[in-house]
Amino acid sequence: MFAVYAKEPDQDKPLDSLAVGERPEPEVPQGWVRVAVKAASLNMHDIWTLRGVGIKPDQFPMILGCDGAGVLDDGTEVVLHSVIHAPGWQGDSTRAPSPTT
């Protein structure tokens, strides 16, 4: 798939680590859905990742993606957000339980 991705961490010039090109199609984990991304943004979390903060160099290259919008396979339009809640959580995902619960 054609993507903008982070090729390596760069502490001093994080945006220089962005590259454009072909990447393997990601596998969709059990219980998740595939989203054809139509719009994306870089937020501060992405900049930290590009700088290598909190991530190991061997995890690059990687596709970023905390915020975006796209379409599911069935045509449903969705907004992507970085909130990842606990398996089985029901309710407002912006108020998901902490990782320790």
Side-chain angles (χ1 to χ4, degrees):
M1 79 177 174
F2 185 76
V4 176
Y5 63 95
K7 62 184 175 185
E8 61 195 4
D10 188 327
Q11 179 67 36
D12 298 322
K13 295 182 178 182
L15 296 181
D16 286 355
S17 68
L18 290 173
V20 177
E22 290 296 322
R23 300 295 308 147
E25 286 286 335
E27 292 186 30
V28 180
Q30 180 75 24
W32 291 47
V33 294
R34 179 176 38 206
V35 177
V37 176
K38 301 297 182 183
S41 68
L42 287 177
N43 63 24
M44 198 60 211
H45 182 275
D46 297 314
I47 299 300
W48 290 330
T49 300
L50 290 167
R51 287 184 173 145
V53 176
I55 193 158
K56 297 175 183 157
D58 65 349
Q59 292 178 272
F60 289 85
M62 68 174 359
I63 295 177
L64 303 171
C66 289
D67 300 310
V71 181
L72 301 181
D73 289 342
D74 68 3
T76 303
E77 294 179 333
V78 296
V79 173
L80 307 171
H81 188 275
S82 59
V83 173
I84 299 176
H85 52 78
W89 171 255
Q90 302 245 335
D92 182 350
S93 62
T94 63
R95 300 184 185 274
S98 72
T100 59
T101 59

